């Protein structure tokens, strides 16, 4: 499960606090220290009182009310006009779309035992489209990637996944682009949309999967809609951002030439922001792919199903195989859309002599593709991927051997690390959070929010704390908070070490980047089994899983930050006699401070998005509550409340760290 | 320009030639071979589509594999398997998207909601499987300390079961949240010095036991039979105070073992009335824990596809299968 919040816009939105801020920062560490000392003192006195803890099977009135609403929807869905004329219609349209795409590339259709377009046709189309919108290098990558999917013996599963991804992205963009344009043009609409987008991205998918099947039934429509809810926000945000970044003077110039609002939108704003909008599409595709394994829990076909089924019998090899296919597909789609977004620019820069040939070549390519599609429609050898997928089984075998070796040889070391971190850091911190009275922790959070992020962040924190108490999940939320903070600290440690290394050396960057991409896209379900073997069913396993998922983002952001430190500054420091260590600690890291806070923000949000996965491997608390709500009817309301608590934690952290980032960069 | 156009034309012609060549040496056409199985078509007219829920554990997968195999090959139904958790599968009865659930573990709450409440589901009799729930320890532990299988000795060993998660007490590991469990009440009412720790998934539970047996670690936790994993690591059940009818009436005060569940089948009310031969198959389907474990083992340990596993079992047990479809 990913949360792809894009970077908070650092330019333009900075609040005018700079002049006063510089004087205030002197006292900030001191004030934080005072707050923490006060907390420790009061904790020692009040330990164990008013902790608002709730046993695993206990419910509050709010939870019961959620249950009742859920039940009454289920009971009335066949008679309620809202269902008959609204939800059922939506379902019909989306189901038709999903079924159409599936019959095209993945499922048998219209009396044929195979889909309309076979593997050769799909590979042809993918290659041609990548070449036409990108360049020949990504076309080569795309063809190789898709062929690899077939060689793994997972062609049909991959196409099911691609079909689900394509139809969700299509539906998502249908809403996201207009909403994004609107949010780009209107400040007020932007303000209204932002909390909704936060909500859509941080609410754990497990929470709304079961209700979705209630509204839209089991099958393609529900899977598509679940994916759309999760994948649309990045496109909305990035489109709005793109529209906003078009220079005002350009728009004014167009208006002074007599362009109407509509004209300036279609002739100026949209064309000028096209490149960024394509990046939004890219992010939406990535988010949709991240949903593949989760959607498999409501019977969405494809690679996710293979991963989930393999997990049941602890078959690491097979799960890894399917996970690898998801990674390959994600990398291909990512590179192709990225190339598409920069194509025009590149074409203009390189005075390619083939430019004149482009049109005829495009035509010829289209003809070849058409022939390939025809062949794959007609002949079995071109429709069904040949071979037994031998590559897949040897990769699975290798993955199995590796994990067994790691489990056998490393579990002694890992247990030591686990116990040291759990007893030395996690347990004391968790008991500080869960055994203090709720109002004390709440007050500390609000005070920290106000000191780090300013008055407005303080107010947001206060609201979040109040709502957290209202969900009835306070104690579990604090347990989750403890693990989240520890995981984020580890993420930042890794982020600084590897990020600085990457930022200082282009070679390291090139070597590390693909594995960072893979770690982000590989479904967490795949590495749960080996991690369980190494660390057991503990909170620590959940923390490790979260770090694997969240560290790449932090590393990339810090790497960029370090690289962007002006070379002249570094040279000046070198000539002044600084050694490498001094340059890093005295020049590069301080100057990349904005990147560090941004990395903390993204690290925290990404860690939070793994809370539910943590619930599957022994982390308990909110993650377990959400999973339990998905599994048991009488816990539905509690699961929903736990999901809301995760959203509240996310919003709270996001607002504090963003405000803090604005203040440090100002 | 003219030269370019000529090249373009030449290119297109080349493509067309290439295309024709490829077509000429084409080979088998899509749909050629499948028309041979037309015999199945009129068979499936009688049975139609059979929507079978597949709940996420391997034992259930074994049930579903065998029933689906028989329905497809003997009754010529078109079987659509749907991978769903229990709660969602039951929801599907009302909307007509699920016809049958093959292995129901108690779930009185769901029965109340969908059978007596919404009346969208009906019972279709026992599967013949006995569901046993309880606390289990790895075999090496039962061998080294035979008295551990009596619950009253558990406190003696509590300190050995301590982990980083159990807050100074012994750890009792529970699994997936959809399991039927009274463990928190049991620990409290039997005055055991243990804390229930939720692993959160069956995968986590199995991995814990597997590792414990391999490295001789101390683990006690929730488990159940029939389960394929028991054929890999034969866990030993710990005896809790014996179950008597009614001793689990008050969930807060439970201090006795779990009852033996007669696992049963649930079908949608519509499906029961449809007259489909698949319904008769589901109703008559009945086998033993050993039968299920054999098929589950084919799937989980021998890594056969569920079709291949079902085929192997059905061919070896033709007599049992024939009794279901008469």
């Amino acid at each position: 499960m990913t949360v792809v919040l894009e970077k908070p816009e650092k330019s333009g939105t900075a609040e005018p606090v700079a002049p006063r801020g510089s004087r205030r920062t002197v006292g900030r560490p001191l004030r934080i220290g005072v707050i923490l000392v006060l907390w420790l003192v009061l904790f020692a006195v009040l330990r164990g009182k008013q902790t608002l803890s709730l046993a695993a099977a206990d419910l509050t009135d709010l939870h019961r009310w959620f249950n009742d609403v859920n039940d009454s929807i289920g009971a009335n869905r066949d008679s309620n006009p809202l269902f008959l004329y609204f939800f059922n219609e939506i379902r019909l349209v989306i189901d038709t779309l999903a079924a159409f795409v599936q019959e095209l590339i993945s499922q048998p259709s219209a009396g044929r035992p195979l889909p309309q377009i076979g593997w050769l046709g799909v590979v042809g189309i993918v290659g041609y489209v990548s070449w036409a919108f990108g360049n020949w290098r990504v076309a080569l990558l795309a063809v190789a990637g898709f062929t690899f999917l077939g060689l793994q013996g997972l062609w049909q599963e991959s196409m099911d996944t691609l079909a689900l991804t394509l139809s969700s992205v299509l539906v998502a963009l249908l809403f996201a682009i207009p909403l994004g344009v609107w949010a780009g043009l209107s400040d007020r609409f932007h303000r209204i949309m932002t909390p909704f987008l936060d909500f859509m991205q941080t609410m754990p998918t497990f929470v709304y999967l079961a209700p979705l099947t209630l509204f839209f039934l089991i099958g393609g429509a529900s899977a598509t809609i679940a994916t759309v809810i999760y994948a649309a926000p990045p496109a909305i945000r990035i489109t709005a951002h793109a529209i906003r970044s078009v220079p005002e003077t350009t728009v004014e110039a167009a208006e002074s030439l007599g362009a109407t609002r509509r004209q300036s939108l279609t002739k100026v704003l949209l064309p000028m922001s096209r490149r960024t909008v394509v990046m939004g599409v890219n992010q939406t595709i990535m988010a949709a792919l991240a949903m593949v394994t989760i959607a498999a829990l409501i019977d969405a076909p494809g690679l996710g199903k293979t991963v989930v089924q393999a997990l049941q019998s602890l078959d690491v090899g097979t799960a890894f195989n399917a996970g690898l296919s998801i990674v390959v597909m994600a990398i291909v789609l990512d590179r192709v859309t990225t190339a598409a977004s920069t194509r025009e620019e590149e074409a203009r820069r390189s005075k390619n002599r083939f430019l004149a040939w482009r049109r005829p070549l495009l035509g010829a390519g289209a003809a070849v593709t058409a022939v390939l599609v025809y062949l794959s429609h007609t002949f079995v050898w071109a429709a069904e991927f040949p071979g037994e997928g031998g590559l897949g089984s040897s990769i699975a075998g290798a993955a199995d051997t590796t994990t067994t070796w790691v489990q056998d040889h490393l579990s002694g070391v890992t247990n030591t690390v686990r116990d040291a971190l759990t007893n030395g850091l996690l347990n004391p911190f968790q008991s500080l959070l869960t055994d203090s009275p709720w109002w004390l922790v709440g007050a500390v959070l609000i005070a920290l929010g106000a000191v780090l992020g300013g008055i407005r962040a303080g107010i947001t924190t206060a609201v979040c704390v109040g709502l957290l108490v209202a969900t009835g999940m306070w104690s579990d939320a604090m347990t989750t908070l403890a693990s989240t903070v520890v995981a984020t600290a580890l993420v930042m440690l890794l982020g600084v070490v590897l990020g600085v290394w990457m930022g200082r050396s282009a070679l390291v960057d090139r070597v590390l980047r693909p594995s960072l991409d893979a770690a982000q896209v590989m479904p967490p379900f795949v590495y749960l089994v080996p991690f369980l073997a190494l660390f057991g069913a503990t909170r620590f396993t959940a923390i490790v899983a979260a770090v694997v998922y969240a560290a790449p983002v932090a590393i990339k952001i810090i790497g960029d930050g370090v690289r962007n430190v002006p070379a002249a500054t570094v040279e000046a420091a070198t000539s002044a006699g600084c050694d490498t260590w001094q340059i890093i600690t005295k020049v590069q890291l301080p100057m990349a401070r904005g990147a560090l806070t941004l990395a903390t923000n993204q690290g925290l949000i990404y860690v939070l998005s793994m809370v539910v996965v943590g619930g599957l491997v022994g982390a308990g608390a909110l993650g377990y509550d959400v999973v339990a709500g998905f599994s048991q009817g009488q816990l539905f309301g509690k699961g929903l409340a736990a999901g809301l608590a995760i959203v509240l934690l996310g919003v709270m952290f996001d607002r504090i760290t963003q405000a803090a980032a604005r203040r440090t960069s100002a | 320009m003219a030269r370019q156009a000529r090249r373009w034309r030449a290119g297109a012609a080349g493509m067309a030639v290439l295309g024709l060549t490829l077509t000429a040496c084409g080979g088998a056409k899509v749909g050629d071979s499948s028309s041979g199985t037309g015999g199945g078509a009129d068979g499936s007219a009688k049975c139609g589509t059979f929507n079978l829920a597949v709940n996420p554990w391997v034992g259930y997968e074994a049930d579903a594999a065998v029933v689906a195999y028989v329905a497809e090959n003997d009754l010529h139904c078109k079987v659509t398997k749907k991978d769903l958790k229990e709660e969602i599968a039951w929801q599907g009865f009302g909307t007509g998207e699920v016809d049958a659930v093959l292995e129901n573990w108690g779930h009185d709450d769901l029965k109340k909601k969908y059978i007596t409440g919404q009346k969208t589901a009906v019972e279709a009799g026992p599967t013949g499987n006995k569901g046993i729930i309880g606390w289990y320890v790895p075999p090496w532990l039962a061998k080294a300390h035979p008295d551990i299988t009596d619950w009253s000795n558990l406190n003696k060993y509590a300190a050995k079961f301590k982990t980083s998660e159990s807050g100074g007490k012994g750890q009792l590991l529970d699994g997936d949240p959809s399991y039927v469990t009274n463990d928190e009440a049991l620990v409290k009412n039997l005055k055991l010095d243990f804390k229930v720790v939720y692993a959160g998934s069956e995968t986590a539970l199995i991995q814990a036991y597997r590792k414990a047996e391999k490295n001789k670690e101390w683990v006690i936790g929730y488990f159940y039979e029939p389960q394929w994993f028991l054929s890999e690591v034969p866990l030993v059940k710990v005896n809790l105070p014996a179950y008597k009818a009614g001793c689990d009436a008050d969930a807060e005060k439970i201090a006795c073992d779990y009852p033996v569940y007669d696992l049963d089948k649930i079908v949608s009310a519509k499906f029961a009335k449809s007259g489909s031969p698949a319904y008769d198959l589901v109703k008559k389907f009945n086998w033993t824990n050993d039968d299920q474990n054999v098929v589950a083992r084919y799937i989980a340990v021998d890594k056969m596809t569920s079709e291949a596993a079902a085929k192997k079992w059905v061919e070896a047990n033709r007599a049992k299968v024939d009794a279901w479809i008469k």
Side-chain angles (χ1 to χ4, degrees), chain A residues 71 213 217-218 299 305 311 356-357 368 378 380-381 408 529 533 539 615-618 624 631-634, chain B residues 4 7 15 26 28-30 83 85 87 91 95 97 109 113 164-165 177 198-201 203 207 211 214 303:
Chain A
D71 287 349
T213 60
L217 306 186
I218 298 153
D299 200 44
K305 226 176 206 183
L311 194 69
W357 279 70
V368 176
T378 316
V380 173
W381 61 265
D408 288 349
V529 172
R539 282 163 293 158
L616 295 172
V617 291
Y624 181 85
S631 309
Q632 285 202 31
Q634 70 268 36
Chain B
Q4 210 176 32
R7 282 216 182 101
M15 282 308 137
K29 287 191 176 176
V30 171
D83 290 299
K85 281 227 175 195
E87 179 74 18
Q91 240 176 46
T95 54
E97 301 202 285
D109 53 322
K113 186 164 160 186
S164 61
E165 307 303 294
Y198 294 93
S201 60
T203 310
Q207 188 65 274
K211 196 172 153 218
K214 196 169 176 185
K303 297 189 180 170

Side-chain angles (χ1 to χ4, degrees), chain B residues 100-168:
Chain B
V101 165
L102 288 178
E103 187 180 302
N104 169 53
W105 285 70
H107 282 304
D108 289 329
D109 53 322
L110 292 176
K111 283 189 174 171
K112 201 171 126 204
K113 186 164 160 186
Y114 293 100
I115 295 181
T116 48
Q118 298 183 13
K119 296 192 180 9
T120 51
V122 292
E123 297 183 356
T127 61
N129 290 140
K130 300 283 178 218
I132 300 168
I133 294 178
W135 296 356
Y136 289 77
V137 290
W140 80 265
L141 189 56
K143 210 169 168 193
H145 303 274
D147 62 337
I148 208 166
T149 55
D150 181 354
W151 71 272
S152 53
N153 295 323
L154 284 178
N155 272 344
K156 193 168 81 184
Y157 296 110
K160 293 277 194 185
F161 291 108
K162 242 192 278 183
T163 69
S164 61
E165 307 303 294
S166 59

Side-chain angles (χ1 to χ4, degrees), chain A residues 99-100 102-104 106-117 377:
Chain A
F100 172 74
Q102 276 189 337
E103 284 183 3
L104 217 53
S106 70
Q107 294 288 340
S109 67
R112 289 162 54 87
L114 290 166
Q116 297 291 344
I117 304 178
H377 178 80

